[in-house]
Amino acid sequence: MPAAFQLTHKVHVLGRKEELDTVRVPGKVAIVLDVLFATSTIVTAVAHGAASVIPTLDEAAARDEASRHADGSYVLSGELLAETLPGFAPPTPLALLEHGIARKQVIYSTTNGTVALSGAAAAGHVYAAALLNGRAVIEHVLARHPGQTILIVCSGSMGNVNLEDYYGAGYLVELLAERLGEDADFSDAARVARALYRSGDPFPTLINCRVGRMMSERGLDHEVEYAAQRSALDVVPRLEGGRLVPA
């Protein structure tokens, strides 16, 4: 494992969760993105009354977590390599809402997003963000953690950068620039993400990326269109004690 380095910029973007091993995260504010679909689903679940979302590393960990909860008090949801896990509710935002999650614990396992959240847990503060709640997250972070280093963590996919996550990171950088000014201390990676965000509108960008095309082939254009909405929700899920709850 490479030695971790100290970030020198106030706003930085990691293109994939594996890069968390290369930086020192304690004391930083980590904002985790998995636009298609883990963090979009988490944001939606919290906004629609889930008691909390419990991110887990894999199916076995999710089932182990479920064994600690009373029947009827939770929903198991998740996927592995884009396939819904056997006996689990669908992991996409709208399909999970149809399953019913109000006042329940959502025990959630995904290939990348929940792993990224676990990897970022050592940061001083950890939030789940998506296009859906970008402005709410940025306003909260700037109000509650002024002057702290912000680390935007793209989940990526199996060690690779995902366009939709980098695009989402660029949206967050754009919002930060609106508040902090053009001369704010953005890393080159943050500036690249912002340039990508400015290169196209959300839905065409998301539906034409690798995961978006895969979702379209499965008849899930509506899920991608939903996740492409900017700042439609005001909720700010914060990781506390292994659970994502409204900040």
Side-chain angles (χ1 to χ4, degrees), residues 105-177:
Q105 311 291 340
V106 176
I107 302 171
Y108 195 47
S109 172
T110 68
T111 310
N112 299 296
T114 57
V115 177
L117 283 159
S118 296
H125 308 278
V126 181
Y127 298 96
L131 292 172
L132 286 165
N133 69 332
R135 188 171 297 280
V137 169
I138 295 306
E139 294 292 339
H140 178 90
V141 166
L142 292 179
R144 299 298 179 89
H145 314 296
Q148 287 190 243
T149 298
I150 299 171
L151 185 60
I152 301 172
V153 182
C154 301
S155 296
S157 178
M158 306 301 289
N160 296 308
V161 173
N162 273 10
L163 186 149
E164 68 273 14
D165 293 344
Y166 225 81
Y167 183 89
Y171 178 49
L172 299 184
V173 175
E174 179 80 3
L175 294 171
L176 285 164

Side-chain angles (χ1 to χ4, degrees), residues 62-143:
R63 292 190 185 279
D64 181 64
E65 178 65 36
S67 71
R68 303 189 184 101
H69 298 264
D71 290 346
S73 69
Y74 66 87
V75 174
L76 272 172
S77 172
E79 53 79 22
L80 178 63
L81 302 176
E83 298 293 338
T84 301
L85 291 165
F88 281 52
T92 53
L94 298 177
L96 182 58
L97 282 185
E98 291 177 5
H99 190 83
I101 48 87
R103 296 179 296 281
K104 293 184 179 180
Q105 311 291 340
V106 176
I107 302 171
Y108 195 47
S109 172
T110 68
T111 310
N112 299 296
T114 57
V115 177
L117 283 159
S118 296
H125 308 278
V126 181
Y127 298 96
L131 292 172
L132 286 165
N133 69 332
R135 188 171 297 280
V137 169
I138 295 306
E139 294 292 339
H140 178 90
V141 166
L142 292 179

Side-chain angles (χ1 to χ4, degrees), residues 203-224:
F203 180 64
T205 300
L206 266 58
I207 203 67
N208 285 306
C209 69
R210 180 185 64 85
V211 177
R213 292 195 304 270
M214 181 169 58
M215 294 301 108
S216 184
E217 289 168 1
R218 299 179 183 188
L220 297 178
D221 293 58
H222 63 293
E223 294 276 17
V224 178

